[in-house]
Amino acid sequence: MARPRTVPRVAALVVLVAGPVLAQEPETGLTRTLELRAHQALIDRIARPDTGLAPFETDGCSGGLSQVWGMVSARFPEFAETYKAAPPWEACCFTHDRAYHAAAEASTAEESYDARVLADAELRSCVNETGRLRRSELAEQYGVTPDRVELAYGLIADAMHLAVRFGGGPCSGLSWRWGYGYPNCSVLQTLTGD
């Protein structure tokens, strides 16, 4: 007998409605409680004797941002002249990926959770700082005020922060997940003991 499709639809609805709200408030008890189960599953996976850390790899800014930027730069030389071949904040993404790769070498679920919150906050801060450093140059280039440049970078930083908070949790199966340098884990293994 086929399973009713109601459960996946309800789960998708919860992710669409609650996900962005939870992603904005990483310190809330509900968010922490839900995410700590995934962090525990990751810590359990890391502790297994057959688990090793893969060599570090990065895709730059995840979600296709660096790849699309590079494709547009290659296709449109005038874009590359003005905006370069990679996002100006890509170094922030490399640093963020280093923390995500090894789960910041956390040894408990709580340490892992706190390290992820910190890594995500540092990504947002780094993108904002990139805007502050480039504000005069970009204001002159685009004929806007330096404050407008900082505002634009602030919006980018906030959007990136929301994206990593929402989509970067451990044990998600996504290639950009927290602890992606370790084999994927499952929250169900922690709950069932399998």
Side-chain angles (χ1 to χ4, degrees):
M1 183 166 146
R3 270 183 46 195
R5 299 188 58 84
T6 306
V7 172
R9 287 182 185 152
V10 170
L13 182 62
V14 168
V15 167
L16 288 173
V17 173
V21 173
L22 296 176
Q24 291 177 27
E25 300 296 335
E27 302 303 326
T28 64
L30 177 60
T31 301
R32 186 178 180 89
T33 299
L34 291 173
E35 192 174 318
L36 274 172
R37 290 179 186 225
H39 285 277
Q40 187 59 57
L42 174 62
I43 295 302
D44 292 348
R45 177 68 178 170
I46 292 169
R48 289 176 44 177
D50 62 336
T51 299
L53 182 63
F56 176 72
E57 292 182 9
T58 181
D59 61 357
C61 296
S62 297
L65 179 59
S66 287
Q67 289 82 358
V68 169
W69 194 293
M71 288 180 352
V72 170
S73 293
R75 178 77 172 105
F76 301 101
E78 59 278 1
F79 179 90
E81 258 180 55
T82 303
Y83 302 109
K84 311 297 181 227
W89 52 80
E90 192 171 62
C92 303
C93 298
F94 291 150
T95 301
H96 188 251
D97 283 357
R98 285 231 175 257
Y100 262 58
H101 174 253
E105 300 180 6
S107 59
T108 68
E110 291 80 11
E111 282 179 15
S112 180
Y113 176 87
D114 292 342
R116 179 169 176 250
V117 169
L118 179 62
D120 293 347
E122 287 174 346
L123 173 66
R124 178 171 44 190
S125 178
C126 183
V127 173
N128 275 317
E129 181 62 19
T130 303
R132 277 190 286 281
L133 293 173
R134 301 188 71 214
R135 64 182 273 158
S136 297
E137 162 203 346
L138 293 175
E140 184 177 319
Q141 182 176 352
Y142 294 108
V144 297
T145 66
D147 289 343
R148 297 288 288 176
V149 172
E150 277 197 59
L151 175 63
Y153 269 77
L155 292 171
I156 293 165
D158 288 346
M160 290 175 70
H161 183 260
L162 180 61
V164 295
R165 288 304 311 152
F166 181 65
C171 302
S172 67
L174 298 171
S175 62
W176 54 77
R177 71 189 179 276
W178 179 256
Y180 72 85
Y182 295 103
N184 202 10
C185 51
S186 170
V187 175
L188 296 177
Q189 291 171 337
T190 300
L191 296 175
T192 64
D194 294 336

